[in-house]
Amino acid sequence: VRRIELFLIPGEIPESYLKDKLAVTIDVLRACTTIAYAFANGAGSAIPAEEVEEATKLLASLDRRSTLLCGERNGLKIKGFDLGNSPLEYTEDVVAGKTLIMASTNGTPAMTRASVAKVQLLCSFVNIGLVAEALSSAERGASSGADIAIVCSGRMGRMAIEDTVCGGMLVNLLEGAGLADLHDGANDAAIAARDLYLRHSESLGAMVQESSHGRYLASIGFGADLKICSRLDSVPVLPVLADGVISTCDPEEIGASRQ
Ligand code: MLT
């Protein structure tokens, strides 16, 4: 039986636990949403960094003219960086053809944590349908039967409701597609997240607005981002992290080529 597990925060996951699993990393506010926007607007690739110093070091090894240093601390653009972490900054004229080095507080460290997985997909409300499609494709292809681990980024080591609800929605979609059996092989967090999603399924926008990070972002002037981050399936790209680099692929490719 395929296991489907959800982790409320990355710190729950034992070292190497995700090896051989299909991982889905979720950061609704805002890293995964912003990365989806960047690719939709033509970014070439993105490299997640955990620390600011790591990001600046990486920049020194790349072509400055085609690389953008991106990220936030406390939701705000880091001093000396090109871009912060608002999806609205990642317009075509700014990001097309560029390599993005991204250092966010919770999202990019979660991606690094999950990088031992067989495949890692990046998910938020804006591309959740494609993520579910890719996992169905994996089931039909080379990764058939592999366990799925949904990794919520959370906030400063704590559960974040928007990531949990998004994870629960993914569990619900996978159950609907016959990929997950919540009576057999799901962990308690996956079941709880699915129940939480059902409670908020008709009011995702309000849930995001009322979340701790949503209220914080609105208080520092990013209220518009909350609406963007709540729009279901509005950005049809599938970011995949492999060998330390994020690129995009077609859902069918997940089943066909990645072993
Ligand atoms: C994070 O990675 O912690 C978030 O993306 C923070 C943010 O809203 O910019």
Side-chain angles (χ1 to χ4, degrees):
V1 170
R2 167 197 284 281
R3 273 189 72 70
I4 177 152
E5 292 177 289
L6 183 141
F7 298 93
L8 298 168
I9 55 167
E12 282 186 63
I13 308 168
E15 195 91 25
S16 309
Y17 185 75
L18 299 180
K19 213 168 164 289
D20 301 324
K21 296 192 184 347
L22 301 176
V24 177
T25 300
I26 296 181
D27 188 7
V28 170
L29 296 176
R30 297 166 289 175
C32 291
T33 306
T34 299
I35 289 170
Y37 263 80
F39 280 110
N41 285 330
S45 60
I47 306 171
E50 285 193 53
E51 302 294 341
V52 175
E53 298 69 36
E54 185 190 336
T56 44
K57 256 196 206 141
L58 205 52
L59 179 69
S61 68
L62 295 169
D63 178 359
R64 186 67 185 95
R65 286 162 305 179
S66 58
T67 309
L68 294 172
L69 205 46
C70 315
E72 55 66 43
R73 285 296 181 263
N74 299 316
L76 299 168
K77 181 162 85 96
I78 298 163
K79 197 160 173 270
F81 274 39
D82 301 306
L83 297 174
N85 197 28
S86 168
L88 289 170
E89 294 173 79
Y90 291 70
T91 52
E92 194 176 348
D93 55 325
V94 175
V95 301
K98 296 280 166 58
T99 298
L100 313 178
I101 301 173
M102 304 210 51
S104 73
T105 309
N106 304 287
T108 58
M111 293 168 206
T112 307
R113 179 112 194 161
S115 61
V116 296
K118 188 182 171 90
V119 172
Q120 180 178 176
L121 307 175
L122 306 186
C123 177
S124 65
F125 286 124
V126 300
N127 72 342
I128 191 166
L130 271 192
V131 171
E133 225 180 275
L135 293 171
S136 294
S137 156
E139 179 60 18
R140 292 191 299 272
S143 297
S144 177
D147 293 339
I148 295 173
I150 300 171
V151 180
C152 298
S153 297
R155 188 176 189 230
M156 312 300 281
R158 294 183 176 186
M159 175 265 204
I161 191 169
E162 69 281 8
D163 292 341
T164 309
V165 168
C166 186
M169 181 174 182
L170 185 60
V171 171
N172 197 55
L173 287 170
L174 297 177
E175 191 186 31
L179 254 74
D181 179 356
L182 295 197
H183 304 288
D184 189 6
N187 71 347
D188 287 357
I191 297 167
R194 198 277 307 257
D195 289 351
L196 194 64
Y197 160 67
L198 293 178
R199 184 184 147 87
H200 292 283
S201 61
E202 299 301 319
S203 54
L204 293 177
M207 178 278 298
V208 167
Q209 305 258 354
E210 284 160 20
S211 67
S212 301
H213 197 50
R215 279 182 279 130
Y216 173 71
L217 287 173
S219 79
I220 59 167
F222 290 114
D225 287 3
L226 305 185
K227 281 205 179 82
I228 288 175
C229 294
S230 310
R231 256 178 230 146
L232 277 180
D233 294 321
S234 53
V235 188
V237 297
L238 183 64
V240 182
L241 176 55
D243 302 322
V245 179
I246 304 166
S247 56
T248 57
C249 80
D250 194 76
E252 287 305 320
E253 278 178 60
I254 297 293
S257 59
R258 294 183 189 256
Q259 307 274 334

